[in-house]
Amino acid sequence: MLNLCNVHKTFNIGTINKKTALCGIDLHLNEGDFVTVIGGNGAGKSTMLNAIAGVWPVDEGTISINGIPVTALPEYKRAPYIGRVFQDPMMGTAANMEIEENLALAFRRGHRRTLRWGIGKSERGLYRQALEKLGLGLENRMTSKVGLLSGGQRQALTLLMATLQKPKLLLLDEHTAALDPATASKVLELSDQFIAENHLTAMMITHNMTDAIRHGNRLLMMNAGKIILDISGAEKQKLKKADLLQKFAEISGTQEETDEVLLS
Amino acid sequence: MEFIAYLSSLSPANLLAAVPGNVAQGIIWGIMALGVFITFRLLNFADLTVDGTFATGGAVTVVLILSGTPVPVALAAAIAAGILAGLVTGILNTLLGIPDILAGILTQISLWSINLLTLSGANKAVNVDKYPLIVTLRNVQSSIVTALVFAAILICVLYWYFGTEQGSAIRATGSNPHMSKAQGINIDFIKILAISLSNGLVALSGGLLSQYQGFADIKMGQGSIVIGLAAVIIGEVLGNSLLGKHMNFAYRLIFVVFGGVIYYLVIGLVMWLKMPTDLLKLLTAVIVAVFLAIPYLRAKAKNSFALAGKRGSQKNA
């Protein structure tokens, strides 16, 4: 499904701010994998997702999605394969456009933008149904500007937009980090639901270890630009938070207390 | 005594007589303002190319009409020239990484030379008695009608276009380029497209104004960005206060043109008050600054630290 082969990325090469962010990432995702990704700040989690999404070109290595090589494709050309939700709820939606206009934009992800009308006649019913699934009452506010919505509502909408046109791969970059606990768990629940319903292959970055253990069928831990732990299947089912903290301490060779601070 | 003499020298009849001419010019500038609206409001791109493009539109139109080209063809050529100018600014900005304001200024400056070459000098007159000009200050009434027809058609076309998938992509790019890329929109292409479209409209407006005033002049575009902004902003402030929640996209476009008319009526008024014409640009800048500041200050008046402090001290007292 997704293949990353020896991917390297260094930022600010040739300056004193040089930072090696990805250091030889090899990763293979199977169809339908739901992978949670954990790791301290600066471990390279977001960088890995951005490399897959094509925010910038990688320095070395290859990336392919569903057998299609995308290493040389810019972000907008990879968009047909990828649905994304970002950490910042403001980032995934157009604030001064209506809810239905945002959905219509997302509905056309991967299609040429022609001179046909921006929202087809039959689409509104589809959007209404999709919005009803969110359970936020947005189906009654379809012509409201998205800028009027709360962060949680916008994040739920972004999630819907990312999956409206079924993506080959769904990338969730700490998409609940900016939300209050109740809203965060609601958005997380929706994510689970959408991924299961559409049989999506997904990657989710989180700082919450419990979430990382509870969700998905596979867990990656990253440190210093490398994947240092890759647990899946039955082994992941048995995983406890304490195990993760210990594993992190073992592999990264740092103290457990500091890890707790970093990862809890 | 002098003041009374000044007042008695003002004739209300003259003011009224100037209104039709101001309306005609206002509509023509309103078309220019539609172009500014596309970049400034929809694409969120401050495009200074237009100062050059406006004169380019005028120069191309006049030169072609003088060479015997039919007026519609001359105007089409002006639009094409404007689109080309926008294309240059768009490419400078997106493909060559030059910041938006600077990209616009570079094209604007180069257009100065190109306009001089086009006009083979600083200005060129076109006589309405010899050529079939479609707008002219010799016949203000018919000019108003023609300009209105142009404005109405353009408003309809723009309303349709910005409702299409492509037009929506322009609005999305202006609203959130990050999200647009993630939704598969080639934002570089979209920016070039929108800036070109905007400058095409500006050049058309320049082509109309040069016919109306009977000449094209190298300086006719100077400060036009500020006039365009004035029209956009006056229209918005008026539209929002008159229509409030009912202000939709069609009204926004209509009020842009209406803003141009209001602007020229105000200019007509201050000219009638015998303000020296040298001060016009200063006045325009003040109008734009005031109208830009009003919504900001209004919001601030309801939500300021001073007020919060007052409320706090009242409670404690």
Side-chain angles (χ1 to χ4, degrees):
Chain A
M1 175 61 228
L2 173 74
N3 261 313
L4 274 76
C5 186
N6 194 30
V7 169
H8 286 260
K9 182 69 187 180
T10 303
F11 290 108
N12 305 316
I13 293 174
T15 74
I16 57 166
N17 294 322
K18 181 178 160 187
K19 167 143 183 37
T20 303
L22 293 180
C23 200
I25 298 281
D26 284 300
L27 178 67
H28 173 81
L29 257 58
N30 293 315
E31 187 95 42
D33 267 354
F34 178 6
V35 183
T36 56
V37 186
I38 57 171
N41 289 321
K45 308 181 300 295
S46 288
T47 312
M48 180 168 73
L49 257 57
N50 286 340
I52 297 168
V55 176
W56 23 251
V58 296
D59 299 335
E60 214 180 295
T62 59
I63 303 168
S64 71
I65 300 170
N66 223 11
I68 305 155
V70 296
T71 322
L73 298 184
E75 193 173 354
Y76 77 93
K77 282 193 180 164
R78 294 187 201 188
Y81 315 118
I82 301 173
R84 286 157 77 193
V85 186
F86 312 98
Q87 181 176 358
D88 181 353
M90 304 301 138
M91 236 170 180
T93 45
N96 44 31
M97 293 176 79
E98 297 166 359
I99 292 178
E100 59 178 26
E101 286 181 320
N102 272 273
L103 287 166
L105 281 167
F107 191 60
R108 284 159 180 75
R109 185 163 48 76
H111 295 273
R112 239 170 57 92
R113 316 267 162 174
T114 66
L115 292 180
R116 273 197 297 268
W117 203 240
I119 303 181
K121 277 191 187 118
S122 56
E123 286 169 38
R124 286 197 174 86
L126 183 82
Y127 299 157
R128 179 176 293 275
Q129 278 178 358
L131 286 167
E132 275 167 5
K133 277 195 285 181
L134 298 181
L136 298 169
L138 296 182
E139 63 275 13
N140 300 319
R141 303 172 59 186
M142 280 172 53
T143 53
S144 294
K145 295 268 153 70
V146 169
L148 300 171
L149 306 184
S150 70
Q153 289 172 327
R154 283 181 78 161
Q155 209 61 329
L157 182 63
T158 310
L159 185 68
L160 183 60
M161 288 166 63
T163 52
L164 196 60
Q165 193 64 255
K166 188 182 168 184
K168 300 252 179 286
L169 181 66
L170 177 65
L171 300 178
L172 308 170
D173 187 353
E174 276 187 64
H175 67 313
T176 59
L179 308 176
D180 67 70
T183 316
S185 73
K186 168 85 186 161
V187 170
L188 212 52
E189 191 188 303
L190 284 168
S191 312
D192 261 349
Q193 185 191 330
F194 286 177
I195 290 166
E197 274 174 13
N198 298 303
H199 311 288
L200 298 176
T201 310
M203 294 178 85
M204 176 174 88
I205 297 178
T206 175
H207 272 290
N208 186 319
M209 288 224 176
T210 321
D211 286 343
I213 293 168
R214 186 159 1 122
H215 299 270
N217 65 331
R218 188 169 166 189
L219 182 145
L220 301 179
M221 185 188 277
M222 290 187 73
N223 188 46
K226 288 190 178 118
I227 296 171
I228 55 169
L229 190 68
D230 184 347
I231 302 172
S232 55
E235 200 185 345
K236 177 169 182 290
Q237 303 267 306
K238 288 181 288 179
L239 208 59
K240 297 267 173 337
K241 193 171 159 183
D243 302 338
L244 274 184
L245 286 171
Q246 203 200 336
K247 285 225 162 93
F248 189 78
E250 272 170 28
I251 297 168
S252 64
T254 38
Q255 290 300 308
E256 213 171 302
E257 295 98 321
T258 49
D259 300 336
E260 186 109 42
V261 174
L262 275 175
L263 286 162
S264 63
Chain B
M1 275 327 269
E2 261 179 48
F3 185 65
I4 291 168
Y6 163 74
L7 279 183
S8 60
S9 76
L10 299 173
S11 129
N14 284 350
L15 179 64
L16 279 178
V19 164
N22 293 325
V23 170
Q25 282 206 59
I27 300 169
I28 293 172
W29 278 96
I31 291 170
M32 186 271 177
L34 285 173
V36 172
F37 176 77
I38 292 173
T39 44
F40 183 64
R41 276 300 184 231
L42 299 183
L43 190 64
N44 198 15
F45 183 101
D47 181 23
L48 299 186
T49 319
V50 293
D51 275 26
T53 320
F54 192 72
T56 305
V60 168
T61 307
V62 167
V63 168
L64 283 179
I65 290 176
L66 289 176
S67 77
T69 316
V71 173
V73 178
L75 280 177
I79 295 172
I83 289 174
L84 214 59
L87 199 69
V88 172
T89 301
I91 288 172
L92 287 175
N93 177 242
T94 56
L95 302 186
L96 303 179
I98 297 168
D100 48 0
I101 295 198
L102 193 52
I105 290 176
L106 289 176
T107 315
Q108 182 202 114
I109 287 294
S110 49
L111 284 176
W112 182 272
S113 300
I114 291 169
N115 294 342
L116 278 175
L117 284 176
T118 312
L119 288 167
S120 7
N123 51 57
K124 210 156 220 138
V126 57
N127 190 337
V128 66
D129 295 328
K130 289 189 194 152
Y131 300 95
L133 304 184
I134 57 171
V135 283
T136 169
L137 45 74
R138 289 266 209 84
N139 188 344
V140 175
Q141 266 79 14
S142 85
S143 298
I144 291 178
V145 173
T146 311
L148 265 182
V149 169
F150 266 90
I153 292 173
L154 288 171
I155 287 170
C156 291
V157 170
L158 290 178
Y159 181 79
W160 163 78
Y161 180 68
F162 284 104
T164 64
E165 293 175 345
Q166 203 173 70
S168 300
I170 292 179
R171 291 187 294 135
T173 303
S175 179
N176 186 346
H178 197 274
M179 165 264 201
S180 302
K181 273 198 266 184
Q183 296 300 343
I185 294 170
N186 181 353
I187 65 166
D188 285 352
F189 169 75
I190 286 291
K191 276 189 191 169
I192 295 173
L193 184 72
I195 298 168
S196 301
L197 180 66
S198 159
N199 279 282
L201 285 176
V202 172
L204 169 65
S205 168
L208 289 174
L209 189 76
S210 65
Q211 294 182 59
Y212 181 78
Q213 62 189 13
F215 64 91
D217 185 290
I218 185 73
K219 285 192 210 145
M220 69 188 272
Q222 256 181 10
S224 62
I225 176 70
V226 188
I227 298 178
L229 282 177
V232 169
I233 293 156
I234 292 171
E236 271 173 7
V237 172
L238 266 176
N240 285 331
S241 54
L242 288 177
L243 294 173
K245 273 186 184 168
H246 302 289
M247 185 82 164
N248 60 23
F249 193 68
Y251 282 127
R252 284 179 82 185
L253 294 172
I254 291 168
F255 269 97
V256 167
V257 177
F258 196 54
V261 175
I262 299 288
Y263 171 80
Y264 265 90
L265 287 176
V266 172
I267 295 294
L269 181 71
V270 296
M271 301 265 279
W272 177 73
L273 292 170
K274 299 193 174 152
M275 195 188 79
T277 46
D278 291 353
L279 295 181
L280 270 187
K281 293 238 150 89
L282 176 64
L283 177 77
T284 309
V286 170
I287 291 176
V288 172
V290 167
F291 274 88
L292 273 176
I294 285 174
Y296 174 78
L297 289 178
R298 238 196 228 156
K300 236 189 149 180
K302 288 184 202 141
N303 190 18
S304 75
F305 285 108
L307 267 178
K310 245 185 228 166
R311 281 194 295 264
S313 59
Q314 273 165 3
K315 241 185 192 168
N316 291 338

